[in-house]
Amino acid sequence: MSKKLLDVRIDYINLDQAVEEVSGWLKKRSKHYVVTPNPEMLVDAGFDSEFKYVLNQSDLAIPDSSRLRWGSFVVSQKSLILRLIYMPFFLFPGFLPGFKYPVTTGVDLMERLLSLSEEKGLTTAYLGGTKEVADKLFKCLRLKYPDLKIAFCSGNMAVNDKGEMRNDIQRDKMTESKSISLSKRSAGSFNHHLLVQKIDILFVAFGHKKQEKWIYKNLPKLNTRVMLGVGGGFDYLAGAVPRAPKLMRQVGMEWLFRFIVQPWRVKRYWKLIFYIYKIILTKR
């Protein structure tokens, strides 16, 4: 089932269902991409029609935040008074009374797809983040998934707000996989390598909006079957940023943990305030 929240389509799908969906795609020759809507992305989509279009054209839009649960619940209330009463639950959406809504994070989906890829012998690749995180990610993946096929882990991508790579991508150095032998080319041939390399799942981490636009524009060009935008997912899997304890994630308080370990995020919180405002005033 799919519904729109602030004009962005979100699929009501849990983690098992999402893995099953992607697994079905991988058995075919068609191409697909997955997006991970959260409140920040919904706000940005309200100011960027191209971004909104790309989100709504995705093959799967998983509910990446428990704040979407809060938003969906509040807009279902007819009375403005009730909406205001439930406004504080934005901080604790896990305690909303009797309202079922799946939360399927991009990081959780990525980890399940890595396990699936190792089991099925699928080829994966990782694009985005910093060079340091890409190197750490490669090492962590090798330890946790020793039989996983990795085409490349490559960071330091220069992508603009239109989802276009600038020429300085050619100065990037790839981390080579021991599973797949890569030809020793000059750094300037990375664009060519990306075009011809056969990849089952490509994980992209340019940050939201940039990565979704890049995926939409490049999926038809690449020999890749599934692309997934993972935002800061590489940081978590590489151990560069700790993830909130499972209990905090279950009750919807991951935001508090993120604020503690990354206080600089406070400058982005205006989007959450704007999200609350838009949800409260959305017509049912």
Side-chain angles (χ1 to χ4, degrees):
M1 181 175 69
S2 300
K3 286 189 178 181
K4 284 192 174 183
L5 188 62
L6 300 186
D7 293 326
V8 174
R9 192 193 93 247
I10 300 170
D11 297 316
Y12 285 21
I13 188 169
N14 62 34
L15 182 58
D16 289 337
Q17 292 169 331
V19 173
E20 184 179 355
E21 184 77 10
V22 176
S23 180
W25 298 342
L26 292 167
K27 296 175 183 177
K28 305 174 184 178
R29 294 185 178 181
S30 52
K31 297 186 176 188
H32 304 269
Y33 72 97
V34 182
V35 296
T36 58
N38 61 33
E40 279 191 66
M41 293 170 69
L42 266 58
V43 169
D44 285 342
F47 294 102
D48 187 330
S49 58
E50 181 186 2
F51 181 44
K52 182 189 294 184
Y53 177 82
V54 170
L55 291 177
N56 287 331
Q57 290 299 306
S58 68
D59 298 286
L60 185 61
I62 61 174
D64 187 61
S65 169
S66 57
R67 242 59 57 186
L68 300 179
R69 181 178 191 265
W70 172 86
S72 184
F73 177 82
V74 170
V75 297
S76 70
Q77 308 300 314
K78 296 181 180 180
S79 167
L80 177 59
I81 295 177
L82 281 177
R83 292 186 176 193
L84 293 173
I85 289 174
Y86 285 116
M87 187 169 68
F89 281 87
F90 175 82
L91 298 176
F92 313 102
F95 296 103
L96 282 170
F99 184 70
K100 294 183 179 181
Y101 187 97
V103 176
T104 306
T105 69
V107 178
D108 289 335
L109 179 57
M110 182 177 177
E111 290 192 294
R112 288 285 297 275
L113 292 178
L114 291 175
S115 297
L116 177 68
S117 298
E118 183 182 39
E119 178 186 344
K120 301 295 184 182
L122 303 174
T123 300
T124 62
Y126 311 82
L127 193 61
T130 65
K131 177 64 168 61
E132 292 74 19
V133 168
D135 288 340
K136 289 180 180 178
L137 176 64
F138 180 79
K139 293 176 182 178
C140 289
L141 291 175
R142 271 283 158 262
L143 288 173
K144 189 172 182 179
Y145 308 96
D147 296 324
L148 181 65
K149 293 182 179 180
I150 303 174
F152 57 80
C153 284
S154 191
N156 292 344
M157 302 294 102
V159 180
N160 61 27
D161 288 337
K162 295 182 180 180
E164 301 168 340
M165 279 189 179
R166 299 198 296 272
N167 291 333
D168 48 0
I169 182 179
Q170 297 180 359
R171 293 197 293 271
D172 176 60
K173 295 180 180 179
M174 291 194 302
T175 301
E176 293 192 8
S177 165
K178 296 179 181 177
S179 300
I180 297 177
S181 177
L182 302 181
S183 59
K184 301 292 184 178
R185 301 176 183 272
S186 65
S189 67
F190 181 71
N191 280 329
H192 172 75
H193 176 81
L194 184 59
L195 286 170
V196 300
Q197 178 69 57
K198 183 179 179 181
I199 299 167
D200 292 303
I201 306 178
L202 176 60
F203 299 98
V204 184
F206 297 145
H208 78 259
K209 189 163 68 171
K210 292 180 181 180
Q211 65 193 19
E212 286 79 19
K213 291 181 180 181
W214 186 89
I215 287 171
Y216 180 77
K217 293 176 180 178
N218 288 277
L219 181 59
K221 307 174 187 177
L222 307 183
N223 192 10
T224 302
R225 290 196 285 172
V226 177
M227 289 192 192
L228 172 64
V230 295
F234 290 179
D235 292 321
Y236 292 122
L237 268 64
V241 176
R243 197 175 180 195
K246 188 174 182 179
L247 180 60
M248 293 187 74
R249 301 200 302 267
Q250 288 176 337
V251 298
M253 293 183 64
E254 189 171 5
W255 64 272
L256 179 59
F257 185 85
R258 287 184 179 181
F259 176 70
I260 293 173
V261 299
Q262 295 177 311
W264 56 265
R265 281 179 170 269
V266 70
K267 65 183 180 182
R268 293 163 50 176
Y269 280 11
W270 72 267
K271 292 182 181 179
L272 298 182
I273 296 172
F274 190 76
Y275 172 75
I276 294 172
Y277 166 79
K278 294 290 289 184
I279 289 294
I280 294 295
L281 297 182
T282 293
K283 293 182 180 180
R284 190 171 182 269

